[in-house]
Amino acid sequence: MAERKGVVPSTAAREQHERELFGLARRLRDGHHRGREALSLVPSENRLSPLAQLPLQLDFYNRYFFNENHDPDFWQFRGGESIADIETDVAYNSLSMLSGAPFVNLRPVSGLSAMIIAISGMGGETGSTVVCVDPASGGHYATVAVIKRFGFVPAMVSVEAGVVDVDGLRKILSAQDVSLVYLDLQNSLHLLDVAPVAACLAEHSPHTLLHVDASHTLGLILGGQVPNPLELGATSFGGSTHKTFPGPHKGVLFTRLPRVCELIKDAQYVLLSSHHFAATLALGLAAREFQYFGTTYARQVVVNARRLGAELAARDFKVARCADGFTDNHQLWVDVGDQAATNKLSGALAQAGVRVNVQTDMPGFAGPIFRLGSAEVTFEGASETSMTLIADAFAAARNGEVDRAARFRARARQAFESPHFFVDPE
């Protein structure tokens, strides 16, 4: 029972409360240690490097920072004054160089936050049409609802094997005033083909802006494994920074156009206050590390995903295929049966220390599947050898041999090579 206000707790009550808090702390510690040993194959997650994680443990986590211009008369909040340049110089410049975009907005606090800012800022006048990807084709579940909430009219296009239905888009352009095409492909084994969409807009609706939500492939784009949307005609791109990009839970937006930069900034100013200063510092450190490791990491992410797909298929798992094999990015889709069978195998793998992602609304599937990703384990140092051992763990778990699966998981981690981040030699 909660203590009444104004009543001093008894010694026994205080001791009980203390035991409870320390018990919670132990649970957190133990869960953390288990997580460090587990192998995460969740495509929407990644891991921070020790260096990038540091700001989240320091006093800066508690502070606001708004003085992006370092105006000596505008230090309304001084807690971040001594290291503000890590955001304004390190984070901004590193991400600008990686993206080839002179204008970078670091303020979104998640991928959905970036979506809200982009649609609000670039959606045009109330009543304008904003086009997005049909969720049945792999589009984000929330996009249509976000479009409606800002007073825009949603229209959807389908995507097949990464190719947008340009004929369908052309019909929408001829019938409606389209202010923005927001390509939000999140569930796909193929890379999004941006160029035909940009060409269609240039010919039929030059005023329409084109934004690519690259939340899932951001690390592959910045690592040079996937074509940069800005090079293919997109007005802007961005998304979350914790999927294939190994950063904190935040979002980022890129553009080369000053006008679009202002549209984004104006929307961000009223939709977002705190941008989570410590997480932005973490993003800067992750980006600076990525400038050194990003190319080899991004390449290995795709190599590992394809190898894991081949190894699972060789063990009689039903792995979805794309035109060039099992995947063109970090995602793998595996059909392991009905809901009961899927949950059973997911649980067995979790007991063995292998974490998978179950999805029930994937394009082309009527039931649940495993949506797997290779990004996090690759960031930690996994090579093709580890992919073979992970596939062995899947097979053992399917056979009910959880202990054997756990041994394969441990061997897979032992086979890791150098991670794609800096390690303190001490």
Side-chain angles (χ1 to χ4, degrees):
M1 181 181 295
E3 296 287 341
R4 290 179 297 166
K5 290 184 179 180
V7 177
V8 178
S10 67
T11 300
R14 177 185 174 87
E15 290 176 350
Q16 180 182 354
H17 195 61
E18 185 178 78
R19 285 194 298 273
E20 178 189 5
L21 289 175
F22 280 112
L24 294 173
R26 282 192 293 272
R27 286 179 56 197
L28 288 169
R29 179 199 62 198
D30 294 345
H32 170 75
H33 290 321
R34 287 195 299 272
R36 296 302 296 173
E37 292 301 316
L39 300 178
S40 178
L41 301 175
V42 180
S44 53
E45 296 177 351
N46 211 317
R47 187 185 294 276
L48 280 172
S49 74
L51 176 62
Q53 195 171 12
L54 182 61
L56 302 178
Q57 305 169 28
L58 302 178
D59 180 65
F60 307 113
Y61 183 82
N62 308 304
R63 308 304 159 202
Y64 285 111
F65 171 65
F66 297 107
N67 194 1
E68 295 171 289
N69 296 321
H70 297 254
D71 184 344
D73 296 321
F74 192 67
W75 283 111
Q76 297 172 318
F77 299 87
R78 308 203 80 119
E81 186 173 0
S82 63
I83 45 79
D85 61 293
I86 297 180
E87 174 177 323
T88 58
D89 296 339
V90 175
Y92 194 101
N93 293 338
S94 294
L95 287 166
S96 178
M97 292 180 66
L98 287 166
S99 65
F103 304 108
V104 182
N105 194 303
L106 302 170
R107 294 267 155 176
V109 295
S110 67
L112 187 54
S113 171
M115 175 198 290
I116 289 170
I117 290 168
I119 290 175
S120 171
M122 294 186 283
E125 300 294 330
T126 301
S128 298
T129 297
V130 175
V131 176
C132 63
V133 176
D134 189 335
S137 295
H140 195 281
Y141 76 92
T143 313
V144 168
V146 170
I147 291 169
K148 289 180 177 179
R149 283 180 179 272
F150 282 110
F152 305 130
V153 178
M156 294 184 290
V157 291
S158 63
V159 177
E160 181 70 28
V163 179
V164 175
D165 177 12
V166 175
D167 289 338
L169 175 60
R170 193 178 297 113
K171 291 177 182 178
I172 296 172
L173 294 172
S174 64
Q176 302 179 54
D177 179 21
V178 178
S179 55
L180 172 66
V181 173
Y182 188 93
L183 297 181
D184 54 323
L185 187 65
Q186 65 160 344
N187 291 321
S188 178
L189 300 174
H190 299 81
L191 301 181
L192 178 65
D193 193 358
V194 176
V197 178
C200 178
L201 295 180
E203 180 179 358
H204 298 283
S205 187
H207 72 281
T208 301
L209 303 178
L210 173 59
H211 179 82
V212 175
D213 186 330
S215 290
H216 269 274
T217 56
L218 183 63
L220 304 182
I221 292 170
L222 300 187
Q225 182 67 29
V226 172
N228 187 324
L230 300 180
E231 297 292 339
L232 301 177
T235 306
S236 54
F237 80 100
S240 60
T241 58
H242 58 265
K243 295 181 173 64
T244 50
F245 188 83
H249 279 236
K250 270 190 65 65
V252 67
L253 295 166
F254 304 100
T255 186
R256 292 175 176 172
L257 303 177
R259 175 176 65 91
V260 173
C261 172
E262 289 304 313
L263 290 174
I264 292 171
K265 190 172 183 179
D266 287 347
Q268 164 253 298
Y269 182 76
V270 297
L271 292 173
L272 188 67
S273 176
S274 173
H275 64 307
H276 298 181
F277 182 44
T280 309
L281 300 177
L283 177 59
L285 296 175
R288 184 55 60 91
E289 283 187 303
F290 201 83
Q291 286 182 279
Y292 183 83
F293 293 100
T295 300
T296 55
Y297 158 77
R299 183 187 305 118
Q300 194 64 41
V301 165
V302 179
V303 169
N304 282 348
R306 289 174 173 170
R307 179 61 178 269
L308 181 57
E311 295 288 350
L312 289 172
R315 289 158 180 77
D316 296 323
F317 284 94
K318 189 177 179 181
V319 186
R321 291 177 177 267
C322 67
D324 297 327
F326 295 99
T327 184
D328 289 333
N329 52 55
H330 66 303
Q331 290 192 29
L332 280 177
W333 299 351
V334 185
D335 184 354
V336 295
D338 60 17
Q339 190 71 61
T342 302
N343 290 343
K344 181 179 179 180
L345 182 53
S346 173
L349 285 166
Q351 289 181 54
V354 180
R355 298 171 176 176
V356 299
N357 179 218
V358 176
Q359 292 288 323
T360 59
D361 56 353
M362 299 293 284
F365 291 87
I369 68 166
F370 285 174
R371 185 184 68 159
L372 308 179
S374 61
E376 182 171 334
V377 292
T378 302
F379 186 60
E380 293 185 285
S383 66
E384 291 177 87
T385 299
S386 293
M387 297 300 106
T388 300
L389 293 164
I390 290 172
D392 287 334
F394 270 71
R398 179 181 56 190
N399 295 334
E401 302 171 299
V402 173
D403 291 342
R404 187 162 176 257
R407 290 195 293 272
F408 279 124
R409 182 265 304 161
R411 287 175 57 193
R413 182 168 284 283
Q414 290 167 2
F416 280 10
E417 299 175 359
S418 297
H420 295 276
F421 52 81
F422 289 113
V423 178
D424 190 339
E426 298 180 3

